[in-house]
């Protein structure tokens, strides 16, 4: 994946300007910066969930799997049924490997609505495994996880990278990835708009 001079906006106001980086197979890139700088906005832009203001994201089609703040699970389906749904969407096979990897085997028949916050998060992360997608975009993936579950996901992530996958991660938590590169977004923070510019930017965004 190659990101070239990408500028992105939140609420019609540019928050990041001119971000560039590459992500090769087997690599992880950790996005850092103060709260509100635009880590989530950048991930959503790279994922194609919102357009870039400027610049270009280049990658092969159907290679991304995105895990945002929502867990992406259906409350009335069981753990195994949720994973089977996403596996089918992506043309993949069984879900036993994902259940084992995220320690969900004993919960496979439990409805998602009856899971704790941490269990739901593990299910949401297990969804990444069954997509078969090589590039994972992760926005604070360890929210609601205890230390054991953080270590568990760190192992899953290392396995993904070892198999030639890649990951772009917004996190302040150590996931045990000593070879991961870090990109501080502070130098890419857009200048504060002058009086009246935010309204103009919003108007352009919705036209």
């Amino acid at each position: 994946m190659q990101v070239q001079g990408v500028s992105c906006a939140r609420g019609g106001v540019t928050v990041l300007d001119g971000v560039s980086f590459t992500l090769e197979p087997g690599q992880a890139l950790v996005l850092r910066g103060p709260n509100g700088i635009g880590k989530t906005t950048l991930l959503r832009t790279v994922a194609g969930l919102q357009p870039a203001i400027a610049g270009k994201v280049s990658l092969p089609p159907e290679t991304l799997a995105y895990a945002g703040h929502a867990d992406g699970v259906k409350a009335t389906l069981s753990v195994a049924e949720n994973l089977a749904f996403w596996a089918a969407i992506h043309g993949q096979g069984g879900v036993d490997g994902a259940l084992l990897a995220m320690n969900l085997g004993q919960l496979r028949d439990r409805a998602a609505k009856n899971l704790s916050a941490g269990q739901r998060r593990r299910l949401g992360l297990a969804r990444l495994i069954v997509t078969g997608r090589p590039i994972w975009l992760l926005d604070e993936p360890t929210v609601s996880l205890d230390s054991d579950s953080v270590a568990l996901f760190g192992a899953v992530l290392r396995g993904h990278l070892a198999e030639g996958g890649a990951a772009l991660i917004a996190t302040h938590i150590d996931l045990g990835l000593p070879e991961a590169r870090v990109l501080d977004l502070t130098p890419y923070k857009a200048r504060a708009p002058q009086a009246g510019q935010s309204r103009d930017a919003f108007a352009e965004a919705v036209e």
Side-chain angles (χ1 to χ4, degrees):
M1 177 172 68
Q2 189 172 38
V3 173
Q4 300 171 292
V6 164
S7 300
C8 49
R10 179 175 60 239
V13 177
T14 302
V15 292
L16 293 172
D17 191 21
V19 180
S20 297
F21 61 84
T22 59
L23 190 62
E24 301 290 343
Q27 292 184 343
L29 179 63
V30 178
L31 302 176
R32 290 279 168 79
N35 291 339
I37 197 168
K39 297 184 290 294
T40 294
T41 302
L42 178 60
L43 284 172
R44 287 178 56 82
T45 301
V46 172
L49 299 176
Q50 65 181 64
I53 300 299
K56 183 179 181 181
V57 177
S58 303
L59 72 163
E62 299 187 356
T63 52
L64 293 180
Y66 175 70
H69 294 164
D71 294 318
V73 302
K74 294 182 177 295
T76 58
L77 296 182
S78 71
V79 167
E81 289 169 339
N82 266 283
L83 292 178
F85 170 83
W86 286 108
I89 288 290
H90 292 89
Q92 300 297 306
V95 302
D96 288 345
L99 290 168
L100 178 63
M102 292 306 299
N103 193 25
L104 293 166
Q106 293 183 342
L107 301 171
R108 63 177 301 140
D109 297 322
R110 183 177 298 183
K113 64 183 178 182
N114 295 326
L115 299 176
S116 70
Q119 291 167 341
R120 283 178 63 91
R121 192 59 173 173
R122 279 191 281 135
L123 174 56
L125 294 173
R127 181 171 53 90
L128 293 165
I129 302 171
V130 302
T131 65
R133 297 287 176 90
I135 304 175
W136 292 358
L137 306 184
L138 308 173
D139 192 0
E140 300 293 349
T142 58
V143 170
S144 300
L145 295 184
D146 59 25
S147 58
D148 288 342
S149 295
V150 170
L152 192 67
F153 180 64
V156 168
L157 189 51
R158 289 192 296 274
H160 177 67
L161 298 176
E163 293 175 357
L168 179 63
I169 316 164
T171 183
H172 296 285
I173 302 298
D174 182 6
L175 293 173
L177 303 172
E179 303 302 320
R181 295 180 293 138
V182 174
L183 178 63
D184 184 358
L185 294 178
T186 304
Y188 301 100
K189 182 178 180 180
R191 294 181 180 178
Q194 301 298 316
Q197 284 186 347
S198 61
R199 177 184 296 180
D200 294 340
F202 180 76
E204 292 174 3
V206 298
E207 284 181 356

